[in-house]
Amino acid sequence: MPRRRSPARLVIALSVAATLAVFLLYTSLAGGSTPSLRPSQVAEHDGAVSLAGLVLAPVHGDAHASGLRFRLRDIGGTATVPVVYTGSVPDLFRPGRDVSVRGTYRNGIFVAERDSLVTKCPSKYAPAS
C-alpha cells in the first residue's frame, strides 16, 4: 500500500514564499522611497527628500566642522536654495557640477544628511550628438 503524504509541508512552504513575495513587493514600492526634488520644489515638502541641482559659486566652509555651505540651482532653471553639508566631499565636487544630496528643508536652508553628497557625471546626462 502506498504511503500517503501530508500536505502540511507544501502549505508551509507556499506560506513562507507568499510572505516573502509580499515583503519584497512592499519594500520595492513603498518601503524606502524618498522624493527627489529640484530646488524650486523643496520648500513645499516636509521631511527627508533628495535634492538635485547645479552647484553655484562660492562654496565655503569646512565639511568636517561647521559645514560646507553652497547654493544649488535648478538644472536649466533659476530657483536656488542654500545648502549646509557635513561629511566627505567627492573629488569631483565643485561649482558648475550637478549633485544630489539627501536632507530636510528647515527655515529656508536645506540641511543635508551627513555623507549623502553625490556628484553626477555630466557626460551621462548630456544628449547624444
Side-chain angles (χ1 to χ4, degrees):
M1 223 183 318
R3 196 169 133 201
R4 193 162 183 170
R5 294 188 178 186
S6 170
R9 288 176 113 182
L10 178 62
V11 170
I12 291 172
L14 289 175
S15 298
V16 169
T19 302
L20 289 174
V22 169
F23 174 74
L24 288 174
L25 184 63
Y26 171 76
T27 56
S28 67
L29 294 177
S33 62
T34 301
S36 184
L37 305 175
R38 297 185 310 260
S40 60
Q41 301 169 317
V42 73
E44 304 165 1
H45 289 273
D46 292 332
V49 297
S50 179
L51 181 65
L54 180 80
V55 178
L56 299 177
V59 175
H60 60 284
D62 182 3
H64 299 289
S66 62
L68 187 65
R69 297 177 185 279
F70 56 93
R71 293 186 77 78
L72 280 184
R73 186 187 79 204
D74 277 3
I75 298 170
T78 58
T80 65
V81 65
V83 177
V84 176
Y85 172 77
T86 57
S88 62
V89 179
D91 292 337
L92 297 175
F93 177 82
R94 64 179 175 267
R97 182 70 71 176
D98 294 344
V99 299
S100 178
V101 64
R102 284 187 324 270
T104 56
Y105 187 71
R106 297 183 213 150
N107 301 322
I109 298 173
F110 189 80
V111 180
E113 293 177 7
R114 183 172 192 80
D115 297 327
S116 67
L117 181 65
V118 177
T119 58
K120 295 181 179 180
C121 179
S123 63
K124 289 184 178 181
Y125 302 99
S129 53

